[in-house]
Amino acid sequence: MGQVAKGRVMDFDKALHQFQPVQVPGIGAGEYAARVTALQARMLATGVGAVWLDASSSLRYFLGHSLGLSERIHGALIPARGAPVHISPVFEEPKLRSLLREAGRVAVWEEDEDPYALIAAEVAGLAGEGATLALDQATPWLFAAPLLAAMEGRVVSAQPLISGLRQVKSAAEIAIIQTAMSASHQVQKAVWQGLRAGISTTVTCAFITAAHKAQGMSPLFAAAQFGEATAYPHGVPEPQILADGDMVLIDLGATLHGYCSDITRTYVFGTPTPRQRALWGHEQAAHAAAFAAAQIGAPCEAVDAAARASLEAAGFGPGYRVPGLPHRTGHGLGMDIHEEPFIVKGNRTPLEPGMCFSVEPMLCLYGECGIRLEDIAFMTPEGPHWFCPPSVSLDRPFG
């Protein structure tokens, strides 16, 4: 890429051979048990009789297996006391039992039976008549509405119970995310090395997907934007062809043991103009200001405010106005690509050790270009740390 990549350009096909599967231990049985115990303690403290875990990431978080979402309700009940009970259509029971990390009771329903009445009866049996059921926040309304009726209105959101646990990562979770992030950082660097004039965003994204597969990860998403298309946070529908002087935005992620990576880099293909350098510098300054504001005990909104203040001081905004930062500064990251804590105005949740979140105060100039430097930070007792090194400069985005 002009002066940046002389002697460093690598063909995408050849680059794939440099990748090897990454390895890190998954979550152990003891940690799964501790998660259920912690959830039950919260349930007892709040008077909740049982929690419904739908076919969502929370099911995997607490019980260690995944189910695909379908038109038939299936998942698990965790009572405030006692062992979890799985709910399944009869014909799905054999497959379900093959997925379970630990054997347990499965309550089943036939196609012509009412699964919501079954769940209500199970809640009564597990937690007593009149018990309250807390619903996984990922439960579709298709299931939530009949559950509300079957429970005669004794339904609340499980979000305060679940999110409070999931947003604080354990050492094992941090290690998995670190491995995933480091692997994706290598993919980002390989893209930077392999870009050439005339390449398409389609080919670039195909390489990202193949590279993550070569690392033994499950591709989650790949986004490449060239030129004006970089101005729009989620890109444009049409593919682009790379030309000299284009701004380049690459956003990518994959999963490892169910945990996500997410990293964005923006740079110029060729020699940057003074305007591009200035804009990139404003984005880097906002990115650094947000990271500096991420201190133990500070509210999540303080991180957003610091990034926004930096951009406003440079003449952008104010608020969500464009040219400027039109969205929140960041989101939590874990088993979901976007989860709590959200780095946005109004979120007064104090930062605490174990929280992981993105810092991505994107500078958007519709019709011209956009710059997003997205890195994931995690909180330690001493303050914030990056999983991967942020971009050093526009000319040396990977050091």
Side-chain angles (χ1 to χ4, degrees):
M1 283 182 293
Q3 297 176 348
V4 177
K6 285 181 179 178
R8 298 172 61 89
V9 175
M10 183 184 299
D11 180 81
F12 278 167
D13 290 334
K14 293 180 180 178
L16 284 177
H17 296 297
Q18 75 180 1
F19 295 110
Q20 299 294 326
V22 296
Q23 295 183 346
V24 65
I27 302 301
E31 185 160 333
Y32 281 118
R35 290 173 178 180
V36 172
T37 298
L39 178 62
Q40 289 177 318
R42 287 172 172 250
M43 293 161 65
L44 289 170
T46 56
V48 169
V51 166
W52 168 254
L53 299 178
D54 207 76
S56 70
S57 58
S58 287
L59 180 71
R60 181 168 184 174
Y61 177 83
F62 287 106
L63 299 179
H65 67 277
S66 297
L67 297 174
L69 185 65
S70 78
E71 78 277 16
R72 296 178 178 88
I73 190 169
H74 58 170
L77 285 168
I78 295 186
R81 293 184 176 86
V85 175
H86 287 82
I87 307 294
S88 172
V90 171
F91 72 92
E92 294 277 22
E93 183 184 4
K95 181 180 76 172
L96 172 63
R97 289 193 179 277
S98 73
L99 297 174
L100 296 182
R101 188 179 52 81
E102 291 186 353
R105 188 163 72 84
V106 178
V108 297
W109 54 281
E110 294 285 9
E111 289 281 74
D112 60 346
E113 294 178 331
D114 183 352
Y116 310 103
L118 171 64
I119 292 172
E122 286 290 333
V123 172
L126 293 166
E129 294 291 338
T132 297
L133 175 65
L135 294 187
D136 179 350
Q137 57 265 41
T139 305
W141 182 248
L142 173 68
F143 304 149
L147 275 174
L148 184 65
M151 290 296 301
E152 298 180 339
R154 299 185 308 278
V155 171
V156 298
S157 172
Q159 182 175 5
L161 302 173
I162 294 174
S163 295
L165 296 173
R166 286 187 53 176
Q167 70 182 356
V168 176
K169 272 60 180 182
S170 68
E173 291 178 290
I174 294 291
I176 295 171
I177 297 172
Q178 178 66 74
T179 303
M181 287 295 302
S182 296
S184 287
H185 186 264
Q186 288 301 310
V187 177
Q188 277 279 8
K189 186 175 181 179
V191 172
W192 172 67
Q193 292 173 320
L195 287 177
R196 63 184 185 277
I199 201 168
S200 70
T201 51
T202 303
V203 169
T204 303
C205 290
F207 168 74
I208 292 168
T209 298
H212 275 137
K213 287 182 178 179
Q215 292 173 316
M217 299 171 70
S218 298
L220 187 60
F221 70 96
Q225 298 157 230
F226 301 156
E228 182 191 340
T230 61
Y232 309 102
H234 292 153
V236 297
E238 308 83 17
Q240 303 100 53
I241 302 299
L242 187 61
D244 189 67
D246 276 349
M247 192 72 78
V248 175
L249 190 155
I250 306 295
D251 189 5
L252 54 82
T255 63
L256 181 64
H257 295 316
Y259 288 84
C260 303
S261 65
D262 188 10
I263 181 171
T264 306
R265 289 290 179 264
T266 305
Y267 37 80
V268 175
F269 181 76
T271 303
T273 66
R275 167 76 167 171
Q276 289 170 327
R277 288 188 183 280
L279 293 174
W280 197 94
H282 294 316
E283 167 69 7
Q284 185 187 40
H287 183 270
F291 181 76
Q295 298 300 318
I296 295 297
C300 289
E301 67 176 1
V303 181
D304 179 87
R308 214 167 291 279
S310 176
L311 289 172
E312 289 179 6
F316 300 102
Y320 297 104
R321 292 183 185 176
V322 174
L325 171 54
H327 54 66
R328 67 192 175 211
T329 292
H331 57 81
L333 181 112
M335 300 192 79
D336 291 323
I337 191 70
H338 293 167
E339 62 179 44
E340 296 191 44
F342 291 101
I343 308 304
V344 65
K345 182 179 180 179
N347 186 0
R348 300 286 301 170
T349 302
L351 293 172
E352 60 179 296
M355 288 183 171
C356 301
F357 51 89
S358 70
V359 176
E360 48 178 315
M362 183 175 183
L363 175 55
C364 297
L365 299 93
Y366 297 161
E368 182 181 356
C369 68
I371 305 165
R372 179 165 70 243
L373 300 175
E374 179 188 18
D375 291 286
I376 308 300
F378 65 98
M379 299 302 297
T380 73
E382 293 74 37
H385 285 251
W386 294 122
F387 279 106
C388 298
S391 289
V392 175
S393 69
L394 178 56
D395 296 307
R396 298 180 60 82
F398 294 92

